[in-house]
Amino acid sequence: MFEACADPKAIEGLTWGICYLTSAKHLQFYWSFVTVLLLLAITAPTALGMGFLGATAARSHIAPVSWLGKIYIWMVRGVPDIIFFLFFVIALDQIIEYSKSLFVCQDHAWPWQGLEFRVCPEAKVPLAKSSAFWHQAYGFMLAVVTFAIVFGAFVANVIYGAMQAVPRAQLETAEAYGMSRAQVFRRILVPQMWVYALPGLGNLWMILIKATPLLFLLGVKDIVYYARELGGSKTQAYEYPHGDWRLWYFLGLMVFYLLFTRVSEIGIARLTRRLSHGQATAAGEALRKAAA
């Protein structure tokens, strides 16, 4: 980065520290924080949408649709996250490659050869000659889909319970005034259920934040990957030799996650107060008494 850093083994003191913290690998480490934030920014609304659809399907009066929503909630929540993350990503990758092989491979051979899954080189996703960026982007896409499906099931369960918590008398009153089932759902049920769902959704957001290190298991070079790589002891064969500094790197990650969760708690608390205004809930009553 700097001219003084051209020969790392010839510098020492503060200059060595500045050069070390601005090395190419450290810059990748800093960018990996953006990867984590990007995962959260994409996964959270996607999981929320999938959860809302799952909860709506589970409440459907059409039996097959209701079964589909309940099976989605039950199956995903019933499988340990670590197993789902390791199995589903492999299965999804193989489904994508097999589907592509049907169009680009000439022999259309069954890809399973004993216990090995093999397709023609043209069907690999991404291709072997693709740049490292596309391999990382593909792995990130698989991670987003997996996170969205897993947490979407938990969101669906929370939203389903919140919908059940909305007083039935209010829904019946709306129907008595001539509202259709769709109008009751859109104007009465959905606006009020968010108040009941927010505590559970807030907890899921915290769990999602703490689950981001699973990117490391999915092959994405995230902050855990770089903390381990940079913190591990380096011999004289490396540019910046040092001892085992993993403790300090992981302490830095702990501070990052603690600050992130604290900011999230403040944001969730403010959102809860805003949604509770005028609602017939304990939080709404507390706000009315405080304003009186």
Side-chain angles (χ1 to χ4, degrees), residues 90-176:
I90 296 174
L92 180 60
D93 180 48
Q94 292 177 351
I95 290 173
I96 293 173
E97 291 187 350
Y98 176 64
S99 301
K100 183 180 178 182
S101 70
L102 297 177
F103 297 95
V104 300
C105 297
Q106 296 182 358
D107 55 358
H108 301 295
W110 179 246
W112 282 99
Q113 301 176 12
L115 296 178
E116 295 185 4
F117 179 86
R118 294 182 179 180
V119 293
C120 65
E122 294 79 10
K124 298 296 291 182
V125 181
L127 297 174
K129 61 183 179 181
S130 299
S131 65
F133 169 79
W134 290 112
H135 285 273
Q136 284 291 306
Y138 179 68
F140 182 80
M141 182 273 293
L142 293 178
V144 168
V145 172
T146 307
F147 270 85
I149 291 176
V150 171
F151 284 91
F154 287 96
V155 170
N157 193 56
V158 170
I159 292 180
Y160 180 81
M163 288 180 175
Q164 298 295 100
V166 175
R168 177 62 188 170
Q170 297 189 25
L171 307 182
E172 292 175 347
T173 302
E175 292 173 354

Coordinates of all heavy atoms in Angstrom, one line a residue, residues 90-176:
I90 N -25.1 -28.4 -0.5 CA -24.6 -29.4 -1.5 C -25.7 -29.9 -2.4 O -25.5 -30.0 -3.6 CB -24.0 -30.6 -0.7 CG1 -22.8 -30.1 0.1 CG2 -23.6 -31.7 -1.6 CD1 -22.3 -31.2 1.1
A91 N -26.9 -30.2 -1.9 CA -28.0 -30.6 -2.7 C -28.4 -29.6 -3.7 O -28.7 -29.9 -4.9 CB -29.2 -31.0 -1.8
L92 N -28.5 -28.3 -3.3 CA -28.9 -27.3 -4.2 C -27.9 -27.1 -5.3 O -28.2 -26.9 -6.5 CB -29.1 -26.0 -3.5 CG -29.5 -24.7 -4.3 CD1 -30.8 -25.0 -5.0 CD2 -29.6 -23.5 -3.4
D93 N -26.6 -27.2 -5.0 CA -25.5 -27.0 -6.0 C -25.6 -28.2 -7.0 O -25.5 -28.0 -8.2 CB -24.2 -27.1 -5.3 CG -23.0 -27.0 -6.2 OD1 -23.1 -26.1 -7.1 OD2 -22.1 -27.8 -6.1
Q94 N -25.9 -29.4 -6.5 CA -26.0 -30.5 -7.4 C -27.2 -30.4 -8.3 O -27.2 -30.8 -9.5 CB -26.0 -31.8 -6.6 CG -24.7 -32.1 -6.0 CD -24.7 -33.4 -5.1 OE1 -25.8 -33.9 -4.9 NE2 -23.5 -33.8 -4.6
I95 N -28.3 -29.9 -7.8 CA -29.6 -29.7 -8.6 C -29.3 -28.7 -9.7 O -29.7 -28.9 -10.9 CB -30.7 -29.3 -7.7 CG1 -31.2 -30.4 -6.8 CG2 -31.9 -28.8 -8.5 CD1 -32.2 -30.0 -5.7
I96 N -28.6 -27.6 -9.4 CA -28.3 -26.6 -10.4 C -27.4 -27.2 -11.5 O -27.7 -27.0 -12.7 CB -27.7 -25.4 -9.7 CG1 -28.7 -24.7 -8.8 CG2 -27.2 -24.4 -10.8 CD1 -28.1 -23.6 -8.0
E97 N -26.4 -27.9 -11.1 CA -25.5 -28.4 -12.1 C -26.1 -29.5 -12.9 O -25.9 -29.6 -14.2 CB -24.2 -29.0 -11.4 CG -23.4 -27.9 -10.8 CD -22.0 -28.4 -10.3 OE1 -21.9 -29.6 -10.2 OE2 -21.2 -27.6 -10.0
Y98 N -27.0 -30.4 -12.3 CA -27.6 -31.4 -13.1 C -28.6 -30.8 -14.1 O -28.7 -31.2 -15.2 CB -28.4 -32.4 -12.1 CG -29.2 -33.4 -12.9 CD1 -28.5 -34.4 -13.7 CD2 -30.6 -33.5 -12.8 CE1 -29.3 -35.4 -14.4 CE2 -31.3 -34.4 -13.4 CZ -30.6 -35.4 -14.2 OH -31.3 -36.3 -14.9
S99 N -29.4 -29.8 -13.6 CA -30.3 -29.1 -14.5 C -29.6 -28.5 -15.7 O -30.1 -28.6 -16.9 CB -31.1 -28.1 -13.8 OG -31.8 -28.6 -12.7
K100 N -28.4 -27.9 -15.5 CA -27.7 -27.3 -16.5 C -27.1 -28.4 -17.5 O -27.1 -28.2 -18.7 CB -26.5 -26.5 -16.0 CG -25.7 -25.7 -17.0 CD -24.6 -24.9 -16.4 CE -23.8 -24.2 -17.5 NZ -22.6 -23.5 -16.9
S101 N -26.7 -29.5 -16.9 CA -26.2 -30.6 -17.7 C -27.2 -31.1 -18.8 O -26.8 -31.6 -19.8 CB -25.7 -31.7 -16.9 OG -26.8 -32.4 -16.3
L102 N -28.5 -31.0 -18.5 CA -29.5 -31.5 -19.4 C -29.5 -30.7 -20.7 O -29.9 -31.2 -21.7 CB -30.9 -31.5 -18.8 CG -31.1 -32.4 -17.5 CD1 -32.4 -32.2 -17.0 CD2 -30.8 -33.8 -17.9
F103 N -28.9 -29.5 -20.6 CA -28.9 -28.6 -21.8 C -27.6 -28.5 -22.5 O -27.5 -28.3 -23.7 CB -29.4 -27.2 -21.4 CG -30.8 -27.2 -20.9 CD1 -31.1 -27.2 -19.5 CD2 -31.9 -27.1 -21.8 CE1 -32.4 -27.2 -19.1 CE2 -33.2 -27.0 -21.3 CZ -33.5 -27.1 -20.0
V104 N -26.5 -28.6 -21.7 CA -25.2 -28.3 -22.3 C -24.3 -29.6 -22.5 O -23.4 -29.6 -23.2 CB -24.4 -27.4 -21.4 CG1 -25.1 -26.0 -21.3 CG2 -24.1 -27.9 -20.0
C105 N -24.7 -30.7 -21.8 CA -23.9 -31.9 -21.9 C -24.6 -32.8 -23.0 O -25.8 -32.9 -23.1 CB -23.9 -32.7 -20.6 SG -23.1 -31.9 -19.3
Q106 N -23.8 -33.4 -23.9 CA -24.3 -34.1 -25.0 C -24.8 -35.5 -24.7 O -25.7 -36.0 -25.2 CB -23.2 -34.2 -26.1 CG -22.8 -32.9 -26.7 CD -21.7 -33.0 -27.8 OE1 -21.3 -34.1 -28.1 NE2 -21.4 -31.9 -28.4
D107 N -24.1 -36.2 -23.7 CA -24.5 -37.6 -23.5 C -25.7 -37.7 -22.5 O -26.3 -38.7 -22.4 CB -23.3 -38.4 -22.9 CG -22.7 -37.7 -21.7 OD1 -23.2 -36.6 -21.3 OD2 -21.8 -38.2 -21.1
H108 N -26.0 -36.6 -21.7 CA -27.0 -36.6 -20.7 C -27.0 -37.8 -19.8 O -28.0 -38.4 -19.4 CB -28.4 -36.6 -21.4 CG -28.6 -35.5 -22.3 ND1 -28.7 -34.2 -21.9 CD2 -28.8 -35.4 -23.7 CE1 -28.9 -33.3 -22.9 NE2 -28.9 -34.0 -24.0
A109 N -25.7 -38.2 -19.4 CA -25.5 -39.3 -18.5 C -26.0 -39.0 -17.1 O -26.0 -37.8 -16.7 CB -24.1 -39.7 -18.5
W110 N -26.5 -40.0 -16.4 CA -26.8 -39.8 -15.0 C -25.6 -39.4 -14.2 O -24.5 -40.1 -14.3 CB -27.4 -41.1 -14.5 CG -27.8 -41.1 -13.0 CD1 -27.2 -41.8 -12.0 CD2 -28.8 -40.3 -12.4 NE1 -27.8 -41.5 -10.8 CE2 -28.8 -40.5 -11.0 CE3 -29.8 -39.4 -13.0 CZ2 -29.7 -39.9 -10.2 CZ3 -30.7 -38.8 -12.1 CH2 -30.6 -39.1 -10.7
P111 N -25.6 -38.3 -13.5 CA -24.4 -37.8 -12.9 C -23.8 -38.6 -11.7 O -22.6 -38.4 -11.4 CB -24.8 -36.4 -12.4 CG -26.3 -36.5 -12.2 CD -26.8 -37.5 -13.2
W112 N -24.6 -39.5 -11.1 CA -24.1 -40.2 -10.0 C -23.3 -41.4 -10.5 O -23.9 -42.3 -11.2 CB -25.3 -40.6 -9.1 CG -25.7 -39.5 -8.2 CD1 -26.8 -38.7 -8.4 CD2 -25.1 -39.0 -7.0 NE1 -26.9 -37.8 -7.5 CE2 -25.9 -38.0 -6.6 CE3 -24.0 -39.4 -6.3 CZ2 -25.6 -37.3 -5.4 CZ3 -23.7 -38.7 -5.1 CH2 -24.5 -37.7 -4.7
Q113 N -22.1 -41.5 -10.1 CA -21.3 -42.7 -10.4 C -20.8 -43.2 -9.0 O -19.8 -42.8 -8.4 CB -20.1 -42.3 -11.2 CG -20.5 -41.6 -12.6 CD -19.2 -41.2 -13.3 OE1 -18.1 -41.5 -13.0 NE2 -19.5 -40.4 -14.4
G114 N -21.6 -44.2 -8.6 CA -21.3 -44.7 -7.2 C -21.8 -43.7 -6.2 O -22.9 -43.2 -6.2
L115 N -20.8 -43.2 -5.4 CA -21.1 -42.2 -4.4 C -20.6 -40.8 -4.9 O -20.7 -39.8 -4.1 CB -20.4 -42.5 -3.0 CG -20.9 -43.8 -2.4 CD1 -20.1 -44.1 -1.1 CD2 -22.4 -43.7 -2.0
E116 N -20.1 -40.7 -6.1 CA -19.6 -39.5 -6.6 C -20.5 -38.8 -7.6 O -21.2 -39.5 -8.4 CB -18.2 -39.7 -7.3 CG -17.1 -40.2 -6.4 CD -15.8 -40.3 -7.1 OE1 -15.7 -40.0 -8.3 OE2 -14.8 -40.8 -6.5
F117 N -20.6 -37.5 -7.5 CA -21.5 -36.7 -8.4 C -20.6 -36.0 -9.4 O -19.8 -35.2 -9.1 CB -22.3 -35.7 -7.5 CG -23.2 -34.9 -8.4 CD1 -24.5 -35.3 -8.7 CD2 -22.8 -33.6 -8.8 CE1 -25.4 -34.5 -9.4 CE2 -23.7 -32.8 -9.6 CZ -24.9 -33.3 -9.9
R118 N -20.8 -36.4 -10.7 CA -20.0 -35.8 -11.7 C -20.8 -35.4 -12.9 O -21.7 -36.2 -13.4 CB -18.9 -36.8 -12.2 CG -17.9 -37.2 -11.1 CD -16.9 -38.2 -11.7 NE -15.9 -38.5 -10.7 CZ -14.8 -39.3 -10.9 NH1 -14.7 -39.9 -12.1 NH2 -14.0 -39.6 -10.0
V119 N -20.6 -34.2 -13.4 CA -21.2 -33.7 -14.6 C -20.1 -33.3 -15.6 O -19.0 -33.2 -15.2 CB -22.2 -32.6 -14.4 CG1 -23.4 -33.0 -13.5 CG2 -21.5 -31.4 -13.6
C120 N -20.5 -33.1 -16.8 CA -19.5 -32.6 -17.8 C -18.9 -31.3 -17.4 O -19.6 -30.5 -16.7 CB -20.1 -32.6 -19.2 SG -21.4 -31.4 -19.4
P121 N -17.7 -30.9 -17.8 CA -17.1 -29.7 -17.4 C -17.9 -28.4 -17.7 O -17.9 -27.4 -17.0 CB -15.7 -29.7 -18.1 CG -15.4 -31.1 -18.4 CD -16.8 -31.8 -18.6
E122 N -18.7 -28.5 -18.9 CA -19.5 -27.4 -19.3 C -20.6 -27.1 -18.3 O -21.2 -26.0 -18.4 CB -20.0 -27.6 -20.7 CG -18.9 -27.6 -21.8 CD -18.2 -29.0 -21.8 OE1 -18.7 -29.9 -21.2 OE2 -17.2 -29.1 -22.5
A123 N -21.0 -28.1 -17.5 CA -22.2 -28.0 -16.7 C -21.8 -27.5 -15.3 O -22.7 -27.2 -14.4 CB -22.9 -29.3 -16.5
K124 N -20.5 -27.4 -15.0 CA -20.1 -26.9 -13.7 C -20.5 -25.4 -13.5 O -20.5 -24.6 -14.4 CB -18.6 -27.0 -13.5 CG -18.0 -28.4 -13.6 CD -18.5 -29.3 -12.5 CE -18.0 -28.9 -11.2 NZ -18.4 -29.8 -10.1
V125 N -20.9 -25.1 -12.3 CA -21.4 -23.8 -11.9 C -20.6 -23.3 -10.7 O -20.8 -23.9 -9.6 CB -22.9 -23.7 -11.7 CG1 -23.3 -22.3 -11.3 CG2 -23.7 -24.3 -12.8
P126 N -19.8 -22.2 -10.8 CA -19.4 -21.6 -12.1 C -18.4 -22.5 -12.8 O -17.9 -23.5 -12.3 CB -18.8 -20.3 -11.6 CG -18.3 -20.6 -10.3 CD -19.2 -21.6 -9.7
L127 N -18.0 -22.1 -14.0 CA -17.1 -22.9 -14.8 C -15.7 -22.9 -14.1 O -15.3 -21.9 -13.4 CB -17.0 -22.4 -16.2 CG -18.2 -22.4 -17.1 CD1 -18.0 -21.7 -18.4 CD2 -18.7 -23.9 -17.3
A128 N -14.9 -23.9 -14.4 CA -13.6 -24.0 -13.8 C -12.7 -22.8 -14.1 O -11.8 -22.4 -13.4 CB -12.9 -25.3 -14.1
K129 N -12.9 -22.3 -15.4 CA -12.1 -21.2 -15.8 C -12.6 -19.8 -15.3 O -12.0 -18.8 -15.6 CB -12.0 -21.2 -17.4 CG -13.4 -21.0 -18.0 CD -13.2 -21.1 -19.5 CE -14.6 -21.0 -20.2 NZ -14.5 -21.1 -21.7
S130 N -13.7 -19.8 -14.6 CA -14.2 -18.5 -14.1 C -13.3 -17.9 -13.1 O -12.6 -18.6 -12.4 CB -15.6 -18.7 -13.5 OG -16.5 -19.2 -14.5
S131 N -13.4 -16.6 -12.9 CA -12.5 -15.9 -12.0 C -13.0 -16.3 -10.5 O -14.1 -16.8 -10.3 CB -12.6 -14.4 -12.2 OG -13.9 -13.9 -11.9
A132 N -12.1 -16.0 -9.6 CA -12.4 -16.2 -8.2 C -13.6 -15.4 -7.7 O -14.3 -15.9 -6.8 CB -11.2 -15.9 -7.3
F133 N -13.8 -14.3 -8.3 CA -15.0 -13.5 -7.9 C -16.3 -14.2 -8.2 O -17.2 -14.2 -7.3 CB -15.0 -12.2 -8.7 CG -16.3 -11.4 -8.6 CD1 -16.5 -10.6 -7.5 CD2 -17.3 -11.4 -9.6 CE1 -17.7 -9.9 -7.3 CE2 -18.5 -10.7 -9.4 CZ -18.7 -10.0 -8.3
W134 N -16.4 -14.9 -9.3 CA -17.7 -15.6 -9.6 C -17.8 -16.8 -8.7 O -18.9 -17.2 -8.3 CB -17.7 -16.0 -11.1 CG -17.9 -14.8 -12.0 CD1 -16.9 -14.3 -12.9 CD2 -19.0 -14.0 -12.1 NE1 -17.4 -13.2 -13.5 CE2 -18.7 -13.0 -13.0 CE3 -20.2 -14.0 -11.4 CZ2 -19.6 -12.0 -13.4 CZ3 -21.1 -13.0 -11.8 CH2 -20.8 -12.0 -12.7
H135 N -16.7 -17.5 -8.3 CA -16.8 -18.6 -7.4 C -17.3 -18.1 -6.0 O -18.2 -18.7 -5.4 CB -15.5 -19.3 -7.2 CG -15.1 -20.1 -8.4 ND1 -15.5 -21.4 -8.5 CD2 -14.4 -19.8 -9.5 CE1 -15.0 -21.9 -9.6 NE2 -14.4 -21.0 -10.3
Q136 N -16.8 -16.9 -5.6 CA -17.3 -16.4 -4.3 C -18.7 -15.9 -4.4 O -19.5 -16.1 -3.5 CB -16.3 -15.2 -3.9 CG -15.0 -15.6 -3.4 CD -15.1 -16.2 -2.0 OE1 -15.7 -15.7 -1.1 NE2 -14.6 -17.4 -1.9
A137 N -19.1 -15.3 -5.5 CA -20.4 -14.8 -5.7 C -21.4 -15.9 -5.7 O -22.5 -15.8 -5.2 CB -20.5 -14.0 -7.0
Y138 N -21.1 -17.0 -6.4 CA -21.9 -18.2 -6.4 C -22.1 -18.8 -5.0 O -23.2 -19.1 -4.6 CB -21.4 -19.2 -7.4 CG -22.2 -20.5 -7.5 CD1 -23.4 -20.5 -8.1 CD2 -21.7 -21.7 -7.0 CE1 -24.2 -21.7 -8.2 CE2 -22.4 -22.9 -7.1 CZ -23.7 -22.9 -7.7 OH -24.4 -24.0 -7.8
G139 N -21.0 -18.9 -4.3 CA -21.1 -19.4 -2.9 C -22.0 -18.5 -2.0 O -22.7 -19.0 -1.2
F140 N -21.8 -17.2 -2.3 CA -22.6 -16.2 -1.5 C -24.1 -16.4 -1.8 O -25.0 -16.3 -0.9 CB -22.1 -14.8 -1.8 CG -22.9 -13.7 -1.0 CD1 -22.5 -13.5 0.3 CD2 -23.9 -13.0 -1.6 CE1 -23.2 -12.5 1.0 CE2 -24.5 -12.0 -0.9 CZ -24.2 -11.8 0.4
M141 N -24.4 -16.6 -3.1 CA -25.8 -16.8 -3.5 C -26.4 -18.0 -2.9 O -27.5 -18.0 -2.4 CB -25.9 -16.9 -5.0 CG -27.3 -17.0 -5.6 SD -27.9 -18.8 -5.7 CE -26.8 -19.4 -6.9
L142 N -25.7 -19.1 -2.8 CA -26.2 -20.3 -2.2 C -26.4 -20.1 -0.7 O -27.4 -20.6 -0.1 CB -25.2 -21.5 -2.4 CG -25.0 -22.0 -3.8 CD1 -23.9 -23.1 -3.8 CD2 -26.3 -22.5 -4.3
A143 N -25.5 -19.3 -0.1 CA -25.6 -19.0 1.3 C -26.9 -18.2 1.6 O -27.6 -18.4 2.6 CB -24.4 -18.3 1.8
V144 N -27.1 -17.2 0.7 CA -28.3 -16.3 0.9 C -29.6 -17.2 0.8 O -30.5 -17.0 1.6 CB -28.3 -15.2 -0.1 CG1 -29.7 -14.5 -0.1 CG2 -27.3 -14.2 0.2
V145 N -29.7 -18.1 -0.2 CA -30.9 -18.9 -0.4 C -31.0 -19.8 0.9 O -32.2 -20.0 1.4 CB -30.7 -19.8 -1.6 CG1 -31.8 -20.8 -1.7 CG2 -30.7 -18.9 -2.9
T146 N -30.0 -20.4 1.4 CA -30.0 -21.3 2.5 C -30.5 -20.5 3.7 O -31.4 -21.0 4.5 CB -28.7 -22.0 2.8 OG1 -28.2 -22.6 1.6 CG2 -28.8 -23.0 3.8
F147 N -29.9 -19.4 4.0 CA -30.3 -18.6 5.2 C -31.7 -18.2 5.1 O -32.5 -18.2 6.1 CB -29.4 -17.3 5.3 CG -28.1 -17.5 6.1 CD1 -27.0 -18.0 5.5 CD2 -28.1 -17.1 7.4 CE1 -25.8 -18.2 6.2 CE2 -26.9 -17.3 8.1 CZ -25.8 -17.8 7.6
A148 N -32.2 -17.8 3.9 CA -33.5 -17.3 3.7 C -34.5 -18.4 4.0 O -35.6 -18.2 4.6 CB -33.7 -16.7 2.3
I149 N -34.2 -19.6 3.5 CA -35.2 -20.7 3.7 C -35.2 -21.1 5.2 O -36.3 -21.3 5.7 CB -34.7 -21.9 2.8 CG1 -34.9 -21.6 1.4 CG2 -35.5 -23.2 3.2 CD1 -34.4 -22.7 0.4
V150 N -34.1 -21.2 5.8 CA -34.0 -21.6 7.2 C -34.7 -20.6 8.1 O -35.6 -20.9 8.9 CB -32.6 -21.8 7.7 CG1 -32.5 -22.0 9.2 CG2 -32.0 -23.0 7.0
F151 N -34.3 -19.3 8.0 CA -34.9 -18.3 8.9 C -36.3 -17.9 8.4 O -37.1 -17.5 9.2 CB -34.0 -17.1 8.9 CG -32.8 -17.3 9.8 CD1 -31.6 -17.8 9.3 CD2 -32.9 -17.1 11.2 CE1 -30.5 -18.0 10.1 CE2 -31.8 -17.3 12.0 CZ -30.6 -17.8 11.4
G152 N -36.6 -18.2 7.2 CA -38.0 -17.9 6.7 C -39.0 -18.8 7.4 O -40.1 -18.4 7.7
A153 N -38.6 -20.1 7.7 CA -39.4 -21.0 8.4 C -39.7 -20.5 9.9 O -40.8 -20.6 10.4 CB -38.8 -22.4 8.4
F154 N -38.7 -20.0 10.5 CA -38.8 -19.5 11.9 C -39.7 -18.2 11.9 O -40.5 -18.0 12.7 CB -37.5 -19.2 12.5 CG -36.7 -20.5 12.9 CD1 -35.8 -21.0 12.1 CD2 -37.0 -21.1 14.1 CE1 -35.1 -22.2 12.4 CE2 -36.3 -22.2 14.5 CZ -35.3 -22.8 13.6
V155 N -39.5 -17.4 10.9 CA -40.3 -16.2 10.7 C -41.8 -16.6 10.5 O -42.7 -16.0 11.1 CB -39.8 -15.3 9.6 CG1 -40.8 -14.2 9.3 CG2 -38.4 -14.7 9.9
A156 N -42.0 -17.6 9.7 CA -43.4 -18.0 9.4 C -44.0 -18.5 10.7 O -45.2 -18.2 10.9 CB -43.3 -19.2 8.4
N157 N -43.3 -19.2 11.5 CA -43.9 -19.6 12.8 C -44.2 -18.5 13.7 O -45.3 -18.5 14.4 CB -42.9 -20.6 13.5 CG -43.6 -21.3 14.7 OD1 -44.6 -22.0 14.5 ND2 -43.0 -21.2 15.8
V158 N -43.4 -17.5 13.8 CA -43.6 -16.3 14.6 C -44.8 -15.5 14.0 O -45.7 -15.1 14.8 CB -42.4 -15.4 14.6 CG1 -42.7 -14.0 15.2 CG2 -41.2 -16.1 15.4
I159 N -44.9 -15.3 12.7 CA -46.0 -14.5 12.2 C -47.3 -15.3 12.3 O -48.3 -14.7 12.5 CB -45.7 -14.2 10.7 CG1 -44.5 -13.2 10.6 CG2 -46.9 -13.6 10.0 CD1 -44.1 -12.8 9.2
Y160 N -47.2 -16.6 12.1 CA -48.4 -17.4 12.3 C -49.0 -17.3 13.7 O -50.2 -17.1 13.9 CB -48.1 -18.9 12.0 CG -49.3 -19.8 12.2 CD1 -50.2 -19.9 11.1 CD2 -49.5 -20.6 13.3 CE1 -51.3 -20.8 11.3 CE2 -50.6 -21.4 13.5 CZ -51.5 -21.5 12.4 OH -52.6 -22.4 12.5
G161 N -48.1 -17.3 14.7 CA -48.6 -17.1 16.1 C -49.1 -15.7 16.3 O -50.1 -15.5 17.1
A162 N -48.5 -14.7 15.7 CA -48.9 -13.3 15.8 C -50.3 -13.1 15.2 O -51.1 -12.4 15.8 CB -47.9 -12.4 15.2
M163 N -50.5 -13.7 14.1 CA -51.8 -13.7 13.5 C -52.9 -14.3 14.3 O -54.0 -13.8 14.4 CB -51.8 -14.3 12.1 CG -51.1 -13.6 11.0 SD -51.1 -14.5 9.4 CE -50.2 -13.3 8.4
Q164 N -52.6 -15.4 15.0 CA -53.5 -16.0 15.9 C -53.8 -15.2 17.1 O -54.8 -15.3 17.8 CB -53.0 -17.4 16.3 CG -52.8 -18.4 15.2 CD -54.1 -18.8 14.5 OE1 -54.4 -18.2 13.4 NE2 -54.8 -19.7 15.1
A165 N -52.8 -14.3 17.5 CA -53.0 -13.5 18.7 C -53.9 -12.3 18.5 O -54.3 -11.7 19.5 CB -51.6 -13.0 19.2
V166 N -54.1 -11.9 17.3 CA -55.0 -10.7 17.0 C -56.4 -11.1 17.5 O -56.9 -12.2 17.1 CB -55.0 -10.4 15.5 CG1 -56.0 -9.2 15.3 CG2 -53.6 -9.9 15.1
P167 N -57.0 -10.3 18.3 CA -58.4 -10.7 18.9 C -59.4 -11.0 17.8 O -59.6 -10.3 16.8 CB -58.8 -9.4 19.6 CG -57.5 -8.7 20.0 CD -56.6 -9.0 18.9
R168 N -60.0 -12.2 17.9 CA -60.9 -12.6 16.9 C -62.1 -11.7 16.8 O -62.7 -11.5 15.8 CB -61.4 -14.0 17.3 CG -62.5 -14.6 16.4 CD -62.0 -14.8 15.0 NE -63.1 -15.2 14.1 CZ -62.9 -15.2 12.8 NH1 -61.8 -14.8 12.2 NH2 -64.0 -15.5 12.0
A169 N -62.5 -11.0 18.0 CA -63.6 -10.1 18.0 C -63.5 -9.0 17.0 O -64.4 -8.5 16.3 CB -63.8 -9.6 19.4
Q170 N -62.2 -8.5 16.8 CA -62.0 -7.4 15.9 C -62.2 -7.9 14.4 O -62.7 -7.1 13.6 CB -60.6 -6.9 16.0 CG -60.3 -6.2 17.4 CD -59.0 -5.5 17.5 OE1 -58.4 -5.1 16.4 NE2 -58.4 -5.4 18.7
L171 N -61.8 -9.1 14.1 CA -62.0 -9.6 12.8 C -63.5 -9.8 12.5 O -63.9 -9.5 11.4 CB -61.2 -10.9 12.6 CG -59.7 -10.9 13.0 CD1 -59.1 -12.3 12.7 CD2 -59.0 -9.8 12.2
E172 N -64.2 -10.3 13.5 CA -65.6 -10.6 13.3 C -66.4 -9.2 13.2 O -67.3 -9.1 12.4 CB -66.2 -11.3 14.5 CG -65.6 -12.8 14.6 CD -66.1 -13.5 15.8 OE1 -66.6 -12.8 16.7 OE2 -65.9 -14.7 15.9
T173 N -65.9 -8.2 13.9 CA -66.5 -6.9 13.7 C -66.3 -6.3 12.3 O -67.3 -5.8 11.7 CB -66.0 -5.9 14.8 OG1 -66.2 -6.4 16.1 CG2 -66.6 -4.5 14.7
A174 N -65.2 -6.5 11.8 CA -64.9 -6.0 10.4 C -65.7 -6.8 9.4 O -66.3 -6.2 8.5 CB -63.4 -6.2 10.1
E175 N -65.9 -8.1 9.6 CA -66.8 -8.9 8.7 C -68.2 -8.4 8.9 O -69.0 -8.4 7.9 CB -66.6 -10.3 9.1 CG -65.2 -10.9 8.7 CD -65.1 -12.4 9.2 OE1 -66.0 -12.9 9.9 OE2 -64.0 -13.0 8.9
A176 N -68.7 -8.1 10.1 CA -70.0 -7.6 10.3 C -70.3 -6.3 9.6 O -71.4 -6.0 9.2 CB -70.3 -7.5 11.8

